[in-house]
Structures are given as structure tokens and as C-alpha cells.
Amino acid sequence: MGVTYKYFGAPDGATAARVPISMRPEELGGDELGQGMFTKIKPETVAAMVLTGIEGVPLHKVPPLELVVLHPDYAVVKLPMTAVDPLRGVGEEAVGAAAFIWSTVPDRGGPRDAFTVYQLLHEWQDFSHRLHEAGHQPYCLVWP
């Protein structure tokens, strides 16, 4: 079964903490916080993928996630804005280069091949634009 991650935008931590946690992923589809993204990719992996591949930040310098809520059944974490903002201003070449760079990093529980990483980065690019337009910050709901 594994862990499910739902990435979403919220204006602040208090709003993010009120995400409906008792629902399963398929029921969370269109919540009031805007379109979310479901994936099996850990938030720390996504943050590292963007920061390492696009910004050139060494893996050991990727900032930690901020814990918003910790409950026995779920958690909500805030991703650093530096994990989504860089994607708004880059083109195809930068996304492709970042995908290639990340695909060469030893597997850290995320996607392996460059094309899969490329597709994921494009999803994150769209997500970054939606967050920016809404004035939201990136959060992730984590539950088994």
C-alpha cells in the first residue's frame, strides 16, 4: 500500500492544517485550497530534485521541510518556496537538464529515468504557476 502524498497550496500554515485529513485521496480531489497533486514521491525528494537539478544546490544543503501538523494518522509539511519558485522562470532546456542531472543521482526513493523526472518536473512547473497565481505556499499532506 505505502504512503500517499497530496501536494496542495494554502495561504498559511493554519489553513494548511485544516486540510480534510479523514478522507482518502480519491475523495480529496477538488478541495477549497485548489487543485492538488497526488504522488508517491516524497516531498524531500521533490525539493531536492528542483534545488539540485535547477538551482545547483548540493544535496546536503537542501533545506528541511517544516512540520505543520503531526498526528498519529497523518502529517502536514510545508515545502520551502525555493522548491517551487525556480520552476516558474525556466524553459524546456533547463527542465530537461535538471531531469538528466537528477536521473544520475543514486536512487533516493524517487523516479529514476530522465523522462519520468522530466514529466514530474513539468507537473511541478504547472503546480508552481498555480501556487504563485493564488498567492499560496506549497504544502504536503502525508498519510498511510
Side-chain angles (χ1 to χ4, degrees):
M1 195 145 161
V3 175
T4 300
Y5 304 97
K6 181 188 188 227
Y7 294 94
F8 64 95
D12 54 53
T15 304
R18 292 192 301 271
V19 167
I21 51 78
S22 63
M23 299 176 165
R24 301 315 300 162
E26 57 278 1
E27 297 169 326
L28 274 171
D31 63 52
E32 74 282 358
L33 301 175
Q35 288 182 284
M37 294 192 322
F38 291 105
T39 182
K40 294 289 185 182
I41 309 297
K42 295 178 188 176
E44 55 271 21
T45 301
V46 173
M49 195 181 306
V50 171
L51 292 170
T52 303
I54 293 179
E55 295 291 287
V57 174
L59 277 175
H60 69 279
K61 296 230 183 218
V62 172
L65 305 174
E66 180 183 323
L67 184 63
V68 176
V69 174
L70 180 60
H71 183 275
D73 297 328
Y74 65 92
V76 175
V77 295
K78 178 182 177 191
L79 283 78
M81 287 303 289
T82 53
V84 290
D85 280 349
L87 287 167
R88 285 201 326 273
V90 298
E92 285 297 311
E93 286 183 20
V95 173
F100 176 75
I101 290 166
W102 187 257
S103 72
T104 65
V105 173
D107 191 336
R108 301 176 66 83
R112 300 168 192 236
D113 67 272
F115 184 70
T116 303
V117 176
Y118 176 80
Q119 289 178 309
L120 179 67
L121 286 173
H122 263 292
E123 286 180 36
W124 270 84
Q125 199 169 34
D126 293 343
F127 184 56
S128 176
H129 285 291
R130 290 195 312 269
L131 286 175
H132 181 72
E133 289 165 10
H136 287 179
Q137 299 189 24
Y139 293 89
C140 184
L141 172 62
V142 181
W143 73 97

